[in-house]
Amino acid sequence: MASDASRPRTSSSPPNAWRAPTSGTTITAGALMVFAGAMAILEGIAALSNDDLFVVTRHYVFEFSLTGWGWVHLILGIALVIAGCAVFSGALWARFFGVAIAGLSAIANFLWLPYYPWWAVILIAVNLFVVWALCAGMQREADASMTV
């Protein structure tokens, strides 16, 4: 029995494709997803609760009611927080879902520019960084798992 404990254990099974090791880039992306999701949730709540907070532009191509924009940002924010928390676990589906939701959030914030420009520009930058970090992190983790 004592000799079994001293021997190193090796696994002959291939690595799990659904749960890869997470790099620092992926963890940073997950943290930024939670941050961007929380900001989008606050943006959605602000648009839903107080329509007088934002400047309403006239003759804007993507002119929706602020209540509609509030729901869009609220739903995207909740999805970003869920995906960000799932990225911490290393789930592969969360990375792909995170890229898709962060991309949609960047587009939604681009369309939100006339209503709240500084907030929208910051969230566009954060979401684009999240997309880059998730894609770069997946590549690094795939390269690292191939060398093991």
Side-chain angles (χ1 to χ4, degrees):
M1 283 258 200
S3 63
D4 288 339
S6 64
R7 266 190 267 155
R9 295 183 182 192
T10 59
S11 174
S12 61
S13 64
N16 187 358
W18 294 103
R19 192 166 303 281
T22 53
S23 67
T25 308
T26 304
I27 297 297
T28 302
L32 285 175
M33 288 170 69
V34 171
F35 168 75
M39 293 300 109
I41 289 170
L42 293 175
E43 192 174 45
I45 290 172
L48 287 172
S49 66
N50 188 5
D51 288 351
D52 297 334
L53 179 67
F54 300 102
V55 175
V56 179
T57 58
R58 301 204 189 281
H59 307 297
Y60 180 52
V61 175
F62 302 104
E63 187 176 339
F64 295 135
S65 69
L66 282 177
T67 304
W69 276 118
W71 282 109
V72 167
H73 287 290
L74 187 65
I75 291 168
L76 284 174
I78 291 169
L80 266 173
V81 169
I82 290 170
C85 291
V87 162
F88 290 133
S89 71
L92 185 62
W93 66 267
R95 299 172 194 193
F96 291 116
F97 183 64
V99 168
I101 292 298
L104 287 174
S105 182
I107 292 169
N109 279 297
F110 176 74
L111 299 176
W112 180 254
L113 272 170
Y115 297 104
Y116 213 128
W118 287 108
W119 190 317
V121 167
I122 291 169
L123 286 180
I124 289 169
V126 168
N127 285 313
L128 291 179
F129 182 78
V130 164
V131 169
W132 171 82
L134 285 175
C135 293
M138 283 190 270
Q139 180 64 36
R140 289 185 186 132
E141 291 155 8
D143 290 344
S145 67
M146 295 301 285
T147 60
V148 173

